[in-house]
Short mmCIF file of all heavy atoms in Angstrom, two decimals:
data_model
loop_
_atom_site.label_atom_id
_atom_site.label_comp_id
_atom_site.label_asym_id
_atom_site.label_seq_id
_atom_site.Cartn_x
_atom_site.Cartn_y
_atom_site.Cartn_z
N MET A 1 179.17 -19.52 103.25
CA MET A 1 178.61 -20.22 104.37
C MET A 1 179.22 -21.57 104.63
O MET A 1 180.21 -21.67 105.28
CB MET A 1 177.11 -20.35 104.14
CG MET A 1 176.38 -19.25 104.94
SD MET A 1 174.91 -19.75 105.65
CE MET A 1 173.58 -19.69 104.97
N GLY A 2 178.64 -22.62 104.07
CA GLY A 2 179.19 -23.94 104.25
C GLY A 2 180.33 -24.29 103.27
O GLY A 2 180.11 -24.12 102.09
N LYS A 3 181.41 -24.64 103.79
CA LYS A 3 182.54 -24.99 102.96
C LYS A 3 182.57 -26.52 102.71
O LYS A 3 182.29 -27.27 103.61
CB LYS A 3 183.90 -24.63 103.58
CG LYS A 3 184.09 -23.13 103.74
CD LYS A 3 185.44 -22.84 104.37
CE LYS A 3 185.61 -21.35 104.50
NZ LYS A 3 186.90 -21.07 105.11
N LYS A 4 182.82 -26.91 101.48
CA LYS A 4 182.90 -28.30 101.16
C LYS A 4 184.34 -28.70 101.11
O LYS A 4 185.19 -28.04 100.54
CB LYS A 4 182.26 -28.60 99.79
CG LYS A 4 180.75 -28.41 99.77
CD LYS A 4 180.18 -28.87 98.46
CE LYS A 4 178.66 -28.72 98.49
NZ LYS A 4 178.06 -29.11 97.25
N ILE A 5 184.67 -29.78 101.75
CA ILE A 5 186.00 -30.31 101.78
C ILE A 5 186.06 -31.65 101.02
O ILE A 5 185.28 -32.55 101.33
CB ILE A 5 186.49 -30.50 103.25
CG1 ILE A 5 186.49 -29.17 103.97
CG2 ILE A 5 187.90 -31.16 103.22
CD1 ILE A 5 186.84 -29.29 105.45
N MET A 6 186.92 -31.68 100.05
CA MET A 6 187.03 -32.91 99.29
C MET A 6 188.27 -33.65 99.76
O MET A 6 189.35 -33.04 99.88
CB MET A 6 187.15 -32.57 97.79
CG MET A 6 185.95 -31.88 97.21
SD MET A 6 184.44 -32.87 97.26
CE MET A 6 184.83 -34.02 95.97
N VAL A 7 188.15 -34.95 99.96
CA VAL A 7 189.25 -35.76 100.41
C VAL A 7 189.38 -36.92 99.43
O VAL A 7 188.39 -37.62 99.16
CB VAL A 7 189.06 -36.27 101.85
CG1 VAL A 7 190.18 -37.18 102.25
CG2 VAL A 7 188.89 -35.10 102.81
N ASN A 8 190.54 -37.13 98.93
CA ASN A 8 190.77 -38.30 98.11
C ASN A 8 191.39 -39.43 98.93
O ASN A 8 192.39 -39.24 99.58
CB ASN A 8 191.77 -37.99 96.96
CG ASN A 8 191.15 -36.98 95.94
OD1 ASN A 8 189.91 -37.11 95.68
ND2 ASN A 8 191.94 -36.07 95.40
N ILE A 9 190.68 -40.59 98.89
CA ILE A 9 191.17 -41.77 99.62
C ILE A 9 191.32 -42.88 98.54
O ILE A 9 190.46 -43.12 97.76
CB ILE A 9 190.14 -42.21 100.71
CG1 ILE A 9 189.92 -41.08 101.69
CG2 ILE A 9 190.61 -43.47 101.40
CD1 ILE A 9 188.88 -41.32 102.74
N LYS A 10 192.50 -43.50 98.65
CA LYS A 10 192.76 -44.59 97.72
C LYS A 10 191.80 -45.78 98.01
O LYS A 10 191.45 -46.10 99.13
CB LYS A 10 194.18 -45.11 97.86
CG LYS A 10 195.21 -44.09 97.46
CD LYS A 10 196.61 -44.65 97.68
CE LYS A 10 197.66 -43.63 97.33
NZ LYS A 10 199.01 -44.16 97.56
N GLN A 11 191.42 -46.44 96.95
CA GLN A 11 190.51 -47.62 97.08
C GLN A 11 191.18 -48.67 97.98
O GLN A 11 190.49 -49.34 98.76
CB GLN A 11 190.18 -48.18 95.73
CG GLN A 11 189.17 -49.31 95.79
CD GLN A 11 187.84 -48.91 96.36
OE1 GLN A 11 187.27 -47.84 95.98
NE2 GLN A 11 187.29 -49.63 97.30
N SER A 12 192.47 -48.83 97.87
CA SER A 12 193.16 -49.85 98.68
C SER A 12 193.02 -49.50 100.17
O SER A 12 192.83 -50.44 101.02
CB SER A 12 194.62 -49.98 98.31
OG SER A 12 195.26 -48.74 98.50
N THR A 13 193.01 -48.20 100.53
CA THR A 13 192.82 -47.82 101.92
C THR A 13 191.40 -48.14 102.38
O THR A 13 191.20 -48.62 103.51
CB THR A 13 193.07 -46.31 102.07
OG1 THR A 13 194.46 -46.04 101.67
CG2 THR A 13 192.95 -45.89 103.51
N LEU A 14 190.44 -47.85 101.51
CA LEU A 14 189.05 -48.21 101.86
C LEU A 14 188.85 -49.70 102.03
O LEU A 14 188.15 -50.14 102.91
CB LEU A 14 188.10 -47.63 100.78
CG LEU A 14 187.99 -46.15 100.67
CD1 LEU A 14 187.15 -45.77 99.48
CD2 LEU A 14 187.44 -45.56 101.94
N ASP A 15 189.44 -50.48 101.11
CA ASP A 15 189.41 -51.93 101.20
C ASP A 15 189.98 -52.45 102.53
O ASP A 15 189.44 -53.34 103.17
CB ASP A 15 190.07 -52.62 100.00
CG ASP A 15 189.34 -52.29 98.70
OD1 ASP A 15 188.17 -51.95 98.74
OD2 ASP A 15 190.02 -52.50 97.65
N GLU A 16 191.14 -51.85 102.92
CA GLU A 16 191.77 -52.24 104.21
C GLU A 16 190.87 -51.94 105.36
O GLU A 16 190.69 -52.71 106.27
CB GLU A 16 193.11 -51.57 104.27
CG GLU A 16 193.92 -51.98 105.47
CD GLU A 16 195.28 -51.31 105.50
OE1 GLU A 16 195.52 -50.37 104.70
OE2 GLU A 16 196.10 -51.71 106.36
N MET A 17 190.30 -50.74 105.34
CA MET A 17 189.39 -50.33 106.42
C MET A 17 188.18 -51.24 106.50
O MET A 17 187.79 -51.64 107.57
CB MET A 17 188.94 -48.89 106.21
CG MET A 17 190.02 -47.85 106.42
SD MET A 17 189.60 -46.15 105.88
CE MET A 17 188.16 -45.80 106.84
N ASN A 18 187.62 -51.58 105.37
CA ASN A 18 186.47 -52.51 105.31
C ASN A 18 186.87 -53.88 105.88
O ASN A 18 186.04 -54.55 106.52
CB ASN A 18 185.87 -52.65 103.89
CG ASN A 18 185.08 -51.41 103.51
OD1 ASN A 18 184.51 -50.74 104.38
ND2 ASN A 18 184.98 -51.17 102.24
N GLY A 19 188.05 -54.32 105.60
CA GLY A 19 188.59 -55.56 106.10
C GLY A 19 188.65 -55.57 107.64
O GLY A 19 188.22 -56.54 108.30
N PHE A 20 189.14 -54.46 108.19
CA PHE A 20 189.21 -54.29 109.67
C PHE A 20 187.83 -54.33 110.29
O PHE A 20 187.58 -54.97 111.27
CB PHE A 20 189.96 -53.03 110.04
CG PHE A 20 191.41 -53.03 109.77
CD1 PHE A 20 192.05 -51.86 109.34
CD2 PHE A 20 192.19 -54.16 109.94
CE1 PHE A 20 193.41 -51.85 109.06
CE2 PHE A 20 193.55 -54.17 109.67
CZ PHE A 20 194.16 -52.98 109.22
N ILE A 21 186.93 -53.59 109.67
CA ILE A 21 185.55 -53.57 110.14
C ILE A 21 184.92 -54.93 110.12
O ILE A 21 184.24 -55.35 111.08
CB ILE A 21 184.69 -52.53 109.35
CG1 ILE A 21 185.21 -51.11 109.64
CG2 ILE A 21 183.24 -52.66 109.65
CD1 ILE A 21 184.68 -50.06 108.72
N SER A 22 185.13 -55.65 109.07
CA SER A 22 184.62 -57.01 108.87
C SER A 22 185.18 -57.93 109.99
O SER A 22 184.43 -58.73 110.62
CB SER A 22 184.95 -57.53 107.50
OG SER A 22 184.44 -58.85 107.37
N ASP A 23 186.45 -57.78 110.26
CA ASP A 23 187.06 -58.61 111.34
C ASP A 23 186.47 -58.30 112.70
O ASP A 23 186.16 -59.19 113.46
CB ASP A 23 188.60 -58.40 111.39
CG ASP A 23 189.36 -58.94 110.20
OD1 ASP A 23 188.72 -59.77 109.45
OD2 ASP A 23 190.51 -58.56 109.98
N VAL A 24 186.28 -57.04 113.02
CA VAL A 24 185.70 -56.61 114.28
C VAL A 24 184.26 -57.13 114.40
O VAL A 24 183.87 -57.66 115.43
CB VAL A 24 185.73 -55.08 114.44
CG1 VAL A 24 184.90 -54.66 115.65
CG2 VAL A 24 187.16 -54.62 114.58
N ILE A 25 183.50 -57.04 113.33
CA ILE A 25 182.12 -57.53 113.37
C ILE A 25 182.08 -59.06 113.62
O ILE A 25 181.35 -59.54 114.40
CB ILE A 25 181.41 -57.19 112.08
CG1 ILE A 25 181.09 -55.70 112.03
CG2 ILE A 25 180.13 -58.02 111.89
CD1 ILE A 25 180.52 -55.18 110.73
N GLY A 26 183.06 -59.76 112.99
CA GLY A 26 183.12 -61.24 113.18
C GLY A 26 183.46 -61.53 114.64
O GLY A 26 182.87 -62.46 115.21
N ILE A 27 184.42 -60.85 115.22
CA ILE A 27 184.78 -61.06 116.63
C ILE A 27 183.63 -60.77 117.59
O ILE A 27 183.31 -61.56 118.48
CB ILE A 27 186.04 -60.23 117.00
CG1 ILE A 27 187.23 -60.74 116.21
CG2 ILE A 27 186.31 -60.26 118.48
CD1 ILE A 27 188.43 -59.77 116.22
N VAL A 28 182.99 -59.64 117.37
CA VAL A 28 181.87 -59.24 118.27
C VAL A 28 180.71 -60.21 118.12
O VAL A 28 180.10 -60.61 119.13
CB VAL A 28 181.45 -57.77 117.94
CG1 VAL A 28 180.15 -57.45 118.69
CG2 VAL A 28 182.52 -56.78 118.33
N SER A 29 180.35 -60.57 116.87
CA SER A 29 179.20 -61.46 116.73
C SER A 29 179.46 -62.86 117.29
O SER A 29 178.52 -63.52 117.71
CB SER A 29 178.79 -61.48 115.25
OG SER A 29 179.83 -62.01 114.45
N GLU A 30 180.72 -63.27 117.28
CA GLU A 30 181.07 -64.60 117.77
C GLU A 30 180.79 -64.70 119.29
O GLU A 30 180.34 -65.76 119.80
CB GLU A 30 182.55 -64.85 117.52
CG GLU A 30 182.99 -66.27 117.75
CD GLU A 30 184.41 -66.48 117.27
OE1 GLU A 30 184.68 -66.36 116.05
OE2 GLU A 30 185.26 -66.78 118.12
N ASP A 31 181.09 -63.61 120.00
CA ASP A 31 180.92 -63.62 121.46
C ASP A 31 179.83 -62.64 121.90
O ASP A 31 179.83 -62.17 123.04
CB ASP A 31 182.22 -63.23 122.15
CG ASP A 31 183.33 -64.25 121.97
OD1 ASP A 31 182.96 -65.48 122.00
OD2 ASP A 31 184.50 -63.91 121.83
N PHE A 32 178.87 -62.44 121.06
CA PHE A 32 177.82 -61.44 121.29
C PHE A 32 177.00 -61.74 122.55
O PHE A 32 176.77 -60.80 123.36
CB PHE A 32 176.87 -61.35 120.06
CG PHE A 32 175.91 -60.20 120.11
CD1 PHE A 32 176.38 -58.93 119.78
CD2 PHE A 32 174.59 -60.36 120.41
CE1 PHE A 32 175.52 -57.83 119.80
CE2 PHE A 32 173.72 -59.29 120.47
CZ PHE A 32 174.19 -58.05 120.10
N ASP A 33 176.66 -62.98 122.83
CA ASP A 33 175.88 -63.37 123.97
C ASP A 33 176.59 -63.13 125.27
O ASP A 33 175.98 -63.04 126.34
CB ASP A 33 175.40 -64.79 123.87
CG ASP A 33 174.38 -64.98 122.72
OD1 ASP A 33 173.72 -63.97 122.34
OD2 ASP A 33 174.26 -66.08 122.22
N LYS A 34 177.91 -63.02 125.24
CA LYS A 34 178.72 -62.80 126.47
C LYS A 34 178.80 -61.31 126.81
O LYS A 34 179.22 -61.02 127.94
CB LYS A 34 180.10 -63.36 126.25
CG LYS A 34 180.17 -64.87 126.00
CD LYS A 34 181.61 -65.31 125.75
CE LYS A 34 181.64 -66.82 125.40
NZ LYS A 34 182.98 -67.22 124.98
N LEU A 35 178.40 -60.43 125.91
CA LEU A 35 178.47 -59.03 126.16
C LEU A 35 177.31 -58.58 127.12
O LEU A 35 176.25 -59.16 127.09
CB LEU A 35 178.38 -58.25 124.85
CG LEU A 35 179.48 -58.44 123.89
CD1 LEU A 35 179.13 -57.76 122.52
CD2 LEU A 35 180.77 -57.87 124.37
N PRO A 36 177.53 -57.51 127.85
CA PRO A 36 176.44 -56.99 128.67
C PRO A 36 175.26 -56.56 127.81
O PRO A 36 175.46 -56.18 126.64
CB PRO A 36 177.09 -55.75 129.35
CG PRO A 36 178.52 -55.93 129.29
CD PRO A 36 178.76 -56.79 128.02
N TYR A 37 174.09 -56.68 128.36
CA TYR A 37 172.86 -56.39 127.63
C TYR A 37 172.85 -54.98 126.92
O TYR A 37 172.55 -54.86 125.78
CB TYR A 37 171.62 -56.48 128.53
CG TYR A 37 170.33 -56.14 127.89
CD1 TYR A 37 169.77 -57.04 126.99
CD2 TYR A 37 169.71 -54.94 128.13
CE1 TYR A 37 168.56 -56.75 126.36
CE2 TYR A 37 168.52 -54.59 127.44
CZ TYR A 37 167.96 -55.53 126.60
OH TYR A 37 166.76 -55.19 126.00
N GLU A 38 173.33 -53.97 127.71
CA GLU A 38 173.34 -52.64 127.14
C GLU A 38 174.30 -52.55 125.92
O GLU A 38 173.98 -51.89 124.97
CB GLU A 38 173.80 -51.61 128.20
CG GLU A 38 172.83 -51.44 129.35
CD GLU A 38 173.01 -52.53 130.41
OE1 GLU A 38 173.96 -53.26 130.43
OE2 GLU A 38 172.03 -52.66 131.21
N THR A 39 175.40 -53.25 125.98
CA THR A 39 176.36 -53.25 124.87
C THR A 39 175.74 -53.99 123.67
O THR A 39 175.93 -53.57 122.51
CB THR A 39 177.67 -53.87 125.33
OG1 THR A 39 178.17 -53.22 126.51
CG2 THR A 39 178.70 -53.87 124.23
N GLN A 40 175.05 -55.11 123.94
CA GLN A 40 174.41 -55.79 122.88
C GLN A 40 173.42 -54.85 122.17
O GLN A 40 173.34 -54.86 120.88
CB GLN A 40 173.64 -57.01 123.41
CG GLN A 40 174.50 -58.14 123.88
CD GLN A 40 173.69 -59.31 124.36
OE1 GLN A 40 172.46 -59.37 124.22
NE2 GLN A 40 174.33 -60.25 125.03
N ARG A 41 172.63 -54.10 122.90
CA ARG A 41 171.65 -53.22 122.29
C ARG A 41 172.33 -52.16 121.44
O ARG A 41 171.83 -51.75 120.39
CB ARG A 41 170.79 -52.56 123.38
CG ARG A 41 169.85 -53.43 124.12
CD ARG A 41 168.82 -54.06 123.19
NE ARG A 41 168.01 -53.04 122.61
CZ ARG A 41 166.71 -53.06 122.48
NH1 ARG A 41 166.03 -54.04 123.06
NH2 ARG A 41 166.04 -52.10 121.92
N LYS A 42 173.48 -51.67 121.91
CA LYS A 42 174.21 -50.61 121.15
C LYS A 42 174.84 -51.17 119.87
O LYS A 42 174.84 -50.49 118.83
CB LYS A 42 175.28 -50.01 122.00
CG LYS A 42 174.70 -49.13 123.12
CD LYS A 42 175.82 -48.55 123.99
CE LYS A 42 175.29 -47.78 125.15
NZ LYS A 42 176.38 -47.31 126.04
N LEU A 43 175.39 -52.36 119.92
CA LEU A 43 176.16 -52.91 118.79
C LEU A 43 175.30 -53.70 117.85
O LEU A 43 175.64 -53.81 116.65
CB LEU A 43 177.29 -53.78 119.32
CG LEU A 43 178.42 -53.13 120.05
CD1 LEU A 43 179.45 -54.12 120.55
CD2 LEU A 43 179.15 -52.14 119.11
N GLY A 44 174.25 -54.27 118.32
CA GLY A 44 173.45 -55.20 117.49
C GLY A 44 173.00 -54.63 116.20
O GLY A 44 173.01 -55.23 115.14
N LYS A 45 172.57 -53.36 116.18
CA LYS A 45 172.04 -52.74 114.95
C LYS A 45 173.12 -52.52 113.92
O LYS A 45 172.86 -52.42 112.77
CB LYS A 45 171.37 -51.44 115.28
CG LYS A 45 172.27 -50.35 115.85
CD LYS A 45 171.47 -49.12 116.22
CE LYS A 45 172.37 -48.13 116.93
NZ LYS A 45 171.63 -46.99 117.43
N TYR A 46 174.40 -52.51 114.35
CA TYR A 46 175.49 -52.34 113.40
C TYR A 46 175.93 -53.67 112.81
O TYR A 46 176.56 -53.72 111.75
CB TYR A 46 176.72 -51.67 114.04
CG TYR A 46 176.41 -50.32 114.51
CD1 TYR A 46 176.23 -50.04 115.84
CD2 TYR A 46 176.31 -49.27 113.60
CE1 TYR A 46 175.94 -48.70 116.25
CE2 TYR A 46 176.00 -47.96 113.96
CZ TYR A 46 175.83 -47.72 115.34
OH TYR A 46 175.55 -46.45 115.75
N ILE A 47 175.57 -54.77 113.45
CA ILE A 47 175.99 -56.11 113.02
C ILE A 47 174.87 -56.77 112.17
O ILE A 47 175.15 -57.35 111.10
CB ILE A 47 176.40 -56.98 114.23
CG1 ILE A 47 177.52 -56.39 114.98
CG2 ILE A 47 176.66 -58.40 113.78
CD1 ILE A 47 177.85 -57.08 116.26
N TRP A 48 173.67 -56.63 112.62
CA TRP A 48 172.52 -57.22 111.91
C TRP A 48 171.48 -56.15 111.57
O TRP A 48 171.08 -55.44 112.46
CB TRP A 48 171.83 -58.32 112.72
CG TRP A 48 172.80 -59.41 113.07
CD1 TRP A 48 173.24 -60.40 112.29
CD2 TRP A 48 173.46 -59.61 114.34
NE1 TRP A 48 174.13 -61.22 112.95
CE2 TRP A 48 174.25 -60.79 114.23
CE3 TRP A 48 173.40 -58.97 115.57
CZ2 TRP A 48 175.01 -61.26 115.26
CZ3 TRP A 48 174.15 -59.46 116.61
CH2 TRP A 48 174.95 -60.60 116.46
N SER A 49 171.18 -56.04 110.28
CA SER A 49 170.28 -54.96 109.88
C SER A 49 168.87 -55.10 110.46
O SER A 49 168.14 -54.15 110.70
CB SER A 49 170.15 -55.01 108.36
OG SER A 49 169.61 -56.19 107.89
N ASN A 50 168.48 -56.33 110.87
CA ASN A 50 167.12 -56.55 111.46
C ASN A 50 167.18 -56.77 112.92
O ASN A 50 166.29 -57.32 113.56
CB ASN A 50 166.44 -57.71 110.73
CG ASN A 50 167.19 -59.02 110.95
OD1 ASN A 50 168.34 -59.08 111.34
ND2 ASN A 50 166.48 -60.12 110.67
N TYR A 51 168.27 -56.35 113.58
CA TYR A 51 168.47 -56.60 115.03
C TYR A 51 167.35 -56.03 115.87
O TYR A 51 166.84 -56.66 116.78
CB TYR A 51 169.81 -56.05 115.51
CG TYR A 51 170.01 -56.21 116.96
CD1 TYR A 51 170.33 -57.48 117.49
CD2 TYR A 51 169.90 -55.17 117.88
CE1 TYR A 51 170.49 -57.66 118.88
CE2 TYR A 51 170.00 -55.34 119.20
CZ TYR A 51 170.34 -56.58 119.74
OH TYR A 51 170.48 -56.76 121.07
N GLU A 52 166.98 -54.79 115.59
CA GLU A 52 165.92 -54.15 116.41
C GLU A 52 164.65 -54.88 116.35
O GLU A 52 163.94 -55.07 117.33
CB GLU A 52 165.73 -52.67 115.94
CG GLU A 52 166.86 -51.74 116.33
CD GLU A 52 167.10 -51.64 117.81
OE1 GLU A 52 166.12 -51.63 118.62
OE2 GLU A 52 168.27 -51.56 118.24
N GLN A 53 164.28 -55.39 115.15
CA GLN A 53 163.05 -56.17 114.99
C GLN A 53 163.16 -57.52 115.74
O GLN A 53 162.22 -57.88 116.43
CB GLN A 53 162.76 -56.43 113.50
CG GLN A 53 161.51 -57.21 113.27
CD GLN A 53 160.24 -56.50 113.75
OE1 GLN A 53 160.16 -55.27 113.75
NE2 GLN A 53 159.27 -57.19 114.24
N GLN A 54 164.32 -58.15 115.70
CA GLN A 54 164.52 -59.42 116.42
C GLN A 54 164.38 -59.15 117.89
O GLN A 54 163.83 -59.96 118.63
CB GLN A 54 165.92 -59.96 116.10
CG GLN A 54 166.15 -60.52 114.75
CD GLN A 54 167.64 -60.91 114.50
OE1 GLN A 54 168.43 -60.80 115.43
NE2 GLN A 54 167.89 -61.44 113.35
N GLN A 55 164.94 -58.06 118.38
CA GLN A 55 164.94 -57.75 119.78
C GLN A 55 163.47 -57.50 120.28
O GLN A 55 163.08 -57.99 121.33
CB GLN A 55 165.80 -56.52 120.10
CG GLN A 55 166.05 -56.30 121.55
CD GLN A 55 166.86 -57.50 122.16
OE1 GLN A 55 167.63 -58.14 121.54
NE2 GLN A 55 166.57 -57.80 123.38
N LYS A 56 162.69 -56.80 119.50
CA LYS A 56 161.26 -56.54 119.83
C LYS A 56 160.56 -57.87 119.90
O LYS A 56 159.73 -58.08 120.84
CB LYS A 56 160.66 -55.60 118.85
CG LYS A 56 161.10 -54.21 118.91
CD LYS A 56 160.50 -53.32 117.83
CE LYS A 56 161.07 -51.95 117.87
NZ LYS A 56 160.63 -51.13 116.73
N GLU A 57 160.76 -58.76 118.92
CA GLU A 57 160.07 -60.04 118.93
C GLU A 57 160.49 -60.87 120.17
O GLU A 57 159.70 -61.52 120.77
CB GLU A 57 160.36 -60.79 117.63
CG GLU A 57 159.72 -60.15 116.43
CD GLU A 57 160.16 -60.77 115.12
OE1 GLU A 57 160.95 -61.74 115.13
OE2 GLU A 57 159.79 -60.23 114.08
N ARG A 58 161.76 -60.83 120.50
CA ARG A 58 162.27 -61.58 121.68
C ARG A 58 161.66 -61.02 122.94
O ARG A 58 161.24 -61.79 123.83
CB ARG A 58 163.78 -61.47 121.74
CG ARG A 58 164.35 -62.33 122.89
CD ARG A 58 165.87 -62.29 122.93
NE ARG A 58 166.41 -62.86 121.74
CZ ARG A 58 167.61 -62.62 121.25
NH1 ARG A 58 168.44 -61.79 121.87
NH2 ARG A 58 168.05 -63.21 120.16
N GLU A 59 161.49 -59.71 123.07
CA GLU A 59 160.90 -59.13 124.27
C GLU A 59 159.43 -59.50 124.38
O GLU A 59 158.93 -59.74 125.46
CB GLU A 59 161.08 -57.62 124.23
CG GLU A 59 162.52 -57.18 124.49
CD GLU A 59 162.81 -55.70 124.27
OE1 GLU A 59 161.83 -54.99 123.85
OE2 GLU A 59 163.92 -55.29 124.43
N ILE A 60 158.78 -59.59 123.28
CA ILE A 60 157.33 -59.94 123.27
C ILE A 60 157.21 -61.37 123.76
O ILE A 60 156.39 -61.73 124.64
CB ILE A 60 156.72 -59.79 121.88
CG1 ILE A 60 156.56 -58.30 121.54
CG2 ILE A 60 155.32 -60.52 121.80
CD1 ILE A 60 156.17 -57.99 120.13
N ILE A 61 158.05 -62.28 123.26
CA ILE A 61 158.02 -63.68 123.64
C ILE A 61 158.39 -63.82 125.12
O ILE A 61 157.72 -64.56 125.90
CB ILE A 61 159.03 -64.51 122.79
CG1 ILE A 61 158.50 -64.63 121.38
CG2 ILE A 61 159.21 -65.90 123.41
CD1 ILE A 61 159.52 -65.23 120.40
N ASP A 62 159.40 -63.06 125.58
CA ASP A 62 159.77 -63.11 126.99
C ASP A 62 158.64 -62.62 127.87
O ASP A 62 158.45 -63.16 128.97
CB ASP A 62 161.06 -62.25 127.26
CG ASP A 62 162.28 -62.87 126.73
OD1 ASP A 62 162.25 -64.09 126.33
OD2 ASP A 62 163.29 -62.19 126.60
N ASP A 63 157.94 -61.58 127.48
CA ASP A 63 156.82 -61.04 128.21
C ASP A 63 155.71 -62.08 128.39
O ASP A 63 154.97 -62.17 129.37
CB ASP A 63 156.25 -59.79 127.60
CG ASP A 63 157.16 -58.60 127.81
OD1 ASP A 63 158.04 -58.63 128.68
OD2 ASP A 63 156.98 -57.61 127.10
N CYS A 64 155.51 -62.89 127.32
CA CYS A 64 154.47 -63.90 127.37
C CYS A 64 154.74 -65.02 128.42
O CYS A 64 153.85 -65.69 128.85
CB CYS A 64 154.27 -64.53 125.99
SG CYS A 64 153.57 -63.36 124.76
N PHE A 65 156.02 -65.24 128.66
CA PHE A 65 156.44 -66.35 129.58
C PHE A 65 156.69 -65.87 130.98
O PHE A 65 157.05 -66.66 131.84
CB PHE A 65 157.59 -67.08 129.01
CG PHE A 65 157.27 -67.90 127.81
CD1 PHE A 65 157.65 -67.52 126.51
CD2 PHE A 65 156.52 -69.07 127.89
CE1 PHE A 65 157.33 -68.22 125.40
CE2 PHE A 65 156.19 -69.80 126.78
CZ PHE A 65 156.61 -69.38 125.52
N ASP A 66 156.59 -64.63 131.28
CA ASP A 66 156.83 -64.07 132.62
C ASP A 66 155.71 -64.33 133.53
O ASP A 66 154.57 -64.53 133.27
CB ASP A 66 157.13 -62.59 132.63
CG ASP A 66 158.52 -62.34 132.12
OD1 ASP A 66 159.34 -63.26 132.10
OD2 ASP A 66 158.85 -61.17 131.79
#
């Protein structure tokens, strides 16, 4: 039924990939407020683990001042 595929990846390759991901996260988070709202919602959860909670709290505060 289900076939398992094993792939060997060198640790140096994983480290390099993690470095690239870290750089991208740094770039995106630096200019996060300049991104369109929909893009912020899509990317925020990958940058900050508590982004969804922060967003809910912000929406509640915004609703109180409308």
Side-chain angles (χ1 to χ4, degrees):
M1 259 218 272
K3 294 181 181 179
K4 292 185 180 181
I5 299 174
M6 298 295 287
V7 178
N8 290 325
I9 300 174
K10 293 180 183 178
Q11 185 61 46
S12 61
T13 302
L14 292 174
D15 293 341
E16 186 178 9
M17 291 169 56
N18 284 334
F20 290 142
I21 292 168
S22 179
D23 290 345
V24 169
I25 288 172
I27 292 166
V28 170
S29 60
E30 192 173 297
D31 292 324
F32 192 75
D33 292 336
K34 296 176 186 175
L35 296 171
Y37 177 76
E38 293 82 15
T39 304
Q40 289 180 11
R41 292 297 299 228
K42 290 177 185 176
L43 292 176
K45 64 184 174 185
Y46 296 106
I47 299 173
W48 300 285
S49 60
N50 63 343
Y51 177 76
E52 289 298 323
Q53 182 61 33
Q54 289 175 0
Q55 194 60 34
K56 287 177 188 173
E57 290 171 5
R58 183 178 296 158
E59 289 171 0
I60 289 170
I61 291 170
D62 288 347
D63 287 345
C64 291
F65 289 105
D66 283 344

